[in-house]
Amino acid sequence: MTTTTWPVDPRRIADPFGERAPLALSRRYGLLGATFDFLSDSPELLALVDAAYGGLPAHELDGPTLRVELRMAEDDAAFTAEPPRPRMLGGAGLVGATVDARNLVIVQPEAGRAVVQLSRSMLGFGYHARYELIEFAVFQLAARTQGLVALHAGCVGLDGVGALLMGVSGAGKSTLTLHAALQGLDFLTEDGSFVEPRTLRATGVANFLHLRFDALAWIDDAAVRARAQASPVIRRRSGVEKFELDLRGGWVRLAAQPLRLRHLVFASSEPGRAGALLRALSTDELLERLHGDQAYAMGQPGWPAFVQGCRQLHGWVLARGAHPAEGAAALRSLLMG
């Protein structure tokens, strides 16, 4: 009998998990009140980080320095279609998400660290890699290490004062926030707001705004419409395709610092009368709508303090105008008052 001995890579014996593989490349960005150090063994992976976070104002909340390692998987199996939807996991002080054995993220909030592993095939799906894995690490680290309440809400502001924008899907929040920015308001975030529950200061990542194709009909400025049409098209897991409009470069105002919340606005799909789109809410109505709108946030440790702070906010329902610019004007008048 002949026995064949296969060669063994001694590096694999000494470091079977690849955890000591050198990460010679790095980036540092101020995000969501914290300082993020991104380290990688791959320029392609750092390019995804630069695309997501380059050119953003660094919001300061006296947060910690956090570390995200980005590692390229050694072997690969090409995706024949869109990558599978990530599966959430957690336990023993860890949270994470996994697409498959090569594409996953693991976050250890107590240590302020995360590791993201991506395959070369995943690089062909940059939107999913950024939003479902890299952004997962950033959002979870920022929120959990600083005690921020993560909300599915947009936010715009003026002179340091902010208005949170909530509402059901299809209420036109993205189009509304774009028109608010076009009218000179500070853009904080399209749909991911992070709030210090005791001070009610809100931060977010103002990199992109995602517009449905039919929203172009409401953009009267030819230059802005052309900018949107020239933007990459992303495909949501729902199958809806949208333009990914990059807000950086100085063509709109991005909030330079976290905004102090004063208003909580619920966008409605119901039509309203011109000049009377806003309806004030009582405190009880505000809190009822807030609980109905933020199922995920309700399970976070800072939720009770946030709700208590919201009792001091002004609550509003914003009806749909004949043109999104009317809703944006209503928000502007609210923030100027």
Side-chain angles (χ1 to χ4, degrees):
M1 176 182 292
T2 301
T3 301
T4 302
T5 301
W6 298 101
V8 177
D9 187 340
R11 293 172 297 180
R12 273 297 179 208
I13 297 176
D15 183 18
F17 303 104
E19 60 188 310
R20 293 191 290 276
L23 301 173
L25 306 175
S26 65
R27 294 286 191 276
R28 169 169 283 192
Y29 287 116
L31 301 168
L32 300 172
T35 299
F36 277 84
D37 285 333
F38 296 92
L39 296 91
S40 184
D41 57 356
S42 164
E44 294 98 329
L45 296 185
L46 279 188
L48 290 176
V49 172
D50 292 336
Y53 305 122
L56 290 173
H59 289 182
E60 297 179 2
L61 292 173
D62 300 320
T65 297
L66 307 171
R67 172 171 169 154
V68 179
E69 297 182 6
L70 300 121
R71 296 179 179 271
M72 186 73 79
E74 287 189 1
D75 52 352
D76 199 1
F79 294 115
T80 57
E82 182 181 67
R85 186 186 299 271
R87 295 185 177 184
M88 302 297 109
L89 55 92
L94 305 174
V95 292
T98 175
V99 173
D100 59 17
R102 298 172 181 82
N103 298 280
L104 53 92
V105 53
I106 301 173
V107 181
Q108 187 180 17
E110 185 175 347
R113 294 195 172 194
V115 59
V116 180
Q117 178 178 279
L118 297 171
S119 67
R120 292 199 173 276
S121 287
M122 196 68 172
L123 295 179
F125 299 86
Y127 168 76
H128 294 295
R130 280 190 285 116
Y131 278 89
E132 296 177 344
L133 297 175
I134 296 175
E135 189 173 88
F136 180 99
V138 169
F139 282 7
Q140 291 295 328
L141 279 176
R144 290 172 182 255
T145 59
Q146 298 177 98
L148 306 179
V149 176
L151 300 166
H152 181 56
C155 190
V156 295
L158 183 67
D159 296 331
V161 174
L164 275 179
L165 305 176
M166 302 183 182
V168 298
S169 179
K173 296 188 298 295
S174 295
T175 306
L176 178 62
T177 52
L178 172 61
H179 282 273
L182 295 177
Q183 292 188 24
L185 296 186
D186 295 330
F187 186 97
L188 184 75
T189 176
E190 174 188 20
D191 64 359
S193 296
F194 293 79
V195 181
E196 279 188 332
R198 302 191 187 281
T199 65
L200 294 185
R201 288 194 298 170
T203 182
V205 177
N207 47 10
F208 299 107
L209 189 146
H210 297 95
L211 287 177
R212 296 176 65 107
F213 297 160
D214 55 9
L216 292 180
W218 301 109
I219 300 177
D220 300 325
D221 187 305
V224 175
R225 189 165 58 252
R227 181 186 291 271
Q229 288 176 307
S231 300
V233 174
I234 60 93
R235 185 177 183 274
R236 298 283 201 192
R237 289 291 184 178
S238 64
V240 174
E241 293 186 333
K242 295 187 176 185
F243 292 114
E244 186 172 63
L245 181 59
D246 197 327
L247 298 172
R248 292 162 289 185
W251 65 279
V252 294
R253 288 170 44 176
L254 305 182
Q257 294 294 335
L259 298 175
R260 301 185 313 277
L261 295 182
R262 184 177 297 168
H263 302 281
L264 207 166
V265 180
F266 296 90
S268 170
S269 58
E270 295 297 320
R273 294 186 295 108
L277 298 182
L278 286 166
R279 177 175 67 84
L281 294 172
S282 68
T283 299
D284 288 344
E285 288 177 313
L286 183 155
L287 296 180
E288 182 180 357
R289 284 179 175 266
L290 181 63
H291 281 82
D293 194 83
Q294 298 293 323
Y296 170 72
M298 289 171 58
Q300 299 173 38
W303 178 257
F306 172 70
V307 170
Q308 187 63 31
C310 285
R311 292 179 176 275
Q312 312 305 316
L313 298 183
H314 302 288
W316 308 88
V317 172
L318 177 63
R320 185 188 292 270
H323 192 289
E326 294 181 9
L331 288 175
R332 193 171 190 278
S333 64
L334 198 63
L335 289 164
M336 291 179 66

